[in-house]
């Protein structure tokens, strides 16, 4: 029975780091965290948005943006292959359609170093943060247009990035139309928005979709101009935080086991996929007003 129970679980981890404007330094940090994860028996390690590079000012990322077959991603593919571990690399600066734009791309790499899937961030962070800075991600980033879910040894995975978290529609699509069981949310939340909303939004997405949520966060001061909230965590389909770093801004990993029987049990006992109203219902309800 114990062996059967183990076969129905898989170990995953979320990483937390403070990326800077030095590709080599960030790769060294990621490599160290991968070694730590492998030692802990982790099969999937999720890195935060902008894991490979955080510029000191807006638009700096354009200078290092590359296609996915470029040397930066090749190093991370080799890291996954040499360590026999899957990597979620959320928020890679993929070269865009012209020199003035990039794509904020979430890349999933398997344990053989192959790119299994990619997703370009849909919702761009054009926000005047209360008491904070003004951001205009769309000034140098092309928005993605495709929802992406992919099969894996860790269940069916839905890919998102950071600001997507505020838009439940994409998570509803991933769960109810793409069959997602695990949702990945690599992010670099600001300290202001993170303190106010980060955990609340993550737990809400887990509860309303009955999915595991793995949230990898940038943390601490990247430069004099930029700071991230941190607090990487893993949440189960009931909305319980089951993995979390002890220090909100430290570099490290948090480990948890995905239990496929828990997903099945929760969804069977509360079958919201059967109870939710189809889009046609809401159109007719609105028309009757």
């Amino acid at each position: 029975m114990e062996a059967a129970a183990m076969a129905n679980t898989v170990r995953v981890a979320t990483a937390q780091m403070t990326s800077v404007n030095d590709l080599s330094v960030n790769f060294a940090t990621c490599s160290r965290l991968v070694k730590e994860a492998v030692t802990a028996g982790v099969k999937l390690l999720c890195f935060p948005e902008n894991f490979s590079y955080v510029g000191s000012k807006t638009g700096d990322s354009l200078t290092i943006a590359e296609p996915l077959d470029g040397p930066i991603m090749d190093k991370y593919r080799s890291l996954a292959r040499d360590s026999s571990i899957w990597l979620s690399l959320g928020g890679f600066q993929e070269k865009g359609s012209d020199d003035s734009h990039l794509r904020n791309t979430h890349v999933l790499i398997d344990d053989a170093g192959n790119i299994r899937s990619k997703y370009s961030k849909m919702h761009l962070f054009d926000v005047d943060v209360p008491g904070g800075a003004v951001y205009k991600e769309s000034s140098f980033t092309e928005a993605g247009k495709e929802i992406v879910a992919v099969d894996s040894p860790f269940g069916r995975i839905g890919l998102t990035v950071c600001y997507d978290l505020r838009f439940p529609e994409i998570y509803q699509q991933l769960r109810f139309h793409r069959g997602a069981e695990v949702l990945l949310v690599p992010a670099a939340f600001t300290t202001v928005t993170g303190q106010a909303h980060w955990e609340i939004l993550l737990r809400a997405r887990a509860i309303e979709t009955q999915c595991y949520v793995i949230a990898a966060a940038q943390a601490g001061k990247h430069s004099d101009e930029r700071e991230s909230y941190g607090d990487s965590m893993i949440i189960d389909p009931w909305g319980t935080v089951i993995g979390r770093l002890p220090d909100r801004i430290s570099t490290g990993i948090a480990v948890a086991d995905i239990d496929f029987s828990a997903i099945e049990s929760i969804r069977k006992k509360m079958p919201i996929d059967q109870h939710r109203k189809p889009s046609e219902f809401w159109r007719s309800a609105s028309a009757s007003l």
Side-chain angles (χ1 to χ4, degrees), residues 165 171 175 181 183 199-214 234-240 266-267 272:
L165 183 59
Y171 298 91
R175 161 69 209 278
E181 297 168 301
L183 303 171
E199 181 178 345
I200 297 169
L201 288 169
L202 289 169
R203 295 179 70 185
R205 297 297 87 85
I207 293 165
E208 69 195 12
T209 62
Q210 299 172 321
C211 288
Y212 279 90
V213 171
I214 307 175
I234 301 172
I235 304 166
D236 73 12
W238 194 245
T240 303
I266 289 169
R267 292 181 177 184
I272 59 174

Side-chain angles (χ1 to χ4, degrees), residues 21-274:
N21 60 346
D22 187 316
L23 292 165
S24 297
V25 168
N26 297 329
F27 183 75
T29 300
C30 291
S31 297
R32 176 168 60 83
L33 295 176
V34 165
K35 289 181 180 179
E36 186 177 340
V38 170
T39 300
V42 170
K43 302 303 181 184
L44 166 67
L45 176 60
C46 301
F47 282 104
E49 183 182 27
N50 302 330
F51 64 97
S52 62
Y53 185 87
V54 171
S56 57
K57 60 181 184 294
T58 300
D60 272 2
S61 295
L62 287 169
T63 63
I64 56 90
E66 287 185 357
L68 296 185
D69 59 358
I72 298 174
M73 187 55 65
D74 278 351
K75 291 180 70 174
Y76 286 91
R77 292 178 64 184
S78 295
L79 178 61
R81 181 179 62 250
D82 295 344
S83 306
S84 297
I85 190 171
W86 285 59
L87 298 178
S88 161
L89 303 173
F92 177 72
Q93 293 91 353
E94 182 185 10
K95 190 171 180 59
S97 59
D98 58 58
D99 291 339
S100 60
H101 291 87
L102 55 77
R103 296 186 186 93
N104 191 338
T105 301
H106 185 166
V107 184
L108 185 66
I109 300 176
D110 68 19
D111 53 5
N114 302 309
I115 295 178
R116 282 297 187 96
S117 193
K118 70 170 188 173
Y119 159 79
S120 293
K121 184 179 181 182
M122 283 187 178
H123 302 95
L124 303 182
F125 195 59
D126 291 358
V127 177
D128 183 351
V129 176
V134 176
Y135 298 84
K136 189 131 181 103
E137 188 177 16
S138 66
S139 67
F140 61 93
T141 306
E142 298 173 352
K145 298 178 180 179
E146 295 184 3
I147 296 171
V148 177
V150 59
D151 289 323
S152 78
F154 324 100
R156 189 157 174 81
I157 293 177
L159 305 183
T160 68
V161 178
C162 199
Y163 191 49
D164 287 334
L165 183 59
R166 293 185 180 272
F167 302 90
E169 298 89 351
I170 185 173
Y171 298 91
Q172 299 284 310
Q173 287 287 326
L174 284 167
R175 161 69 209 278
F176 299 112
H177 298 281
R178 302 296 196 280
E181 297 168 301
V182 179
L183 303 171
L184 305 186
V185 189
F189 259 51
T190 70
T191 53
V192 174
T193 58
Q195 184 175 14
H197 303 143
W198 173 242
E199 181 178 345
I200 297 169
L201 288 169
L202 289 169
R203 295 179 70 185
R205 297 297 87 85
I207 293 165
E208 69 195 12
T209 62
Q210 299 172 321
C211 288
Y212 279 90
V213 171
I214 307 175
Q218 289 283 351
K221 289 187 71 69
H222 309 280
S223 65
D224 292 338
E225 301 294 324
R226 186 166 178 181
E227 184 175 0
S228 295
Y229 180 69
D231 202 14
S232 297
M233 66 182 76
I234 301 172
I235 304 166
D236 73 12
W238 194 245
T240 303
V241 178
I242 58 172
R244 190 177 214 159
L245 270 76
D247 184 332
R248 179 174 62 80
I249 61 172
S250 65
T251 295
I253 65 171
V255 178
D257 292 328
I258 290 177
D259 184 348
F260 297 109
S261 64
I263 300 173
E264 181 181 4
S265 175
I266 289 169
R267 292 181 177 184
K268 183 177 181 180
K269 292 176 180 178
M270 189 180 292
I272 59 174
D273 59 327
Q274 299 174 28

Side-chain angles (χ1 to χ4, degrees), residues 1-11 41 43 153 257-261:
M1 290 182 65
E2 183 178 349
M6 290 179 64
N8 210 30
T9 65
V10 63
R11 182 152 293 180
K43 302 303 181 184
D257 292 328
I258 290 177
D259 184 348
F260 297 109
S261 64

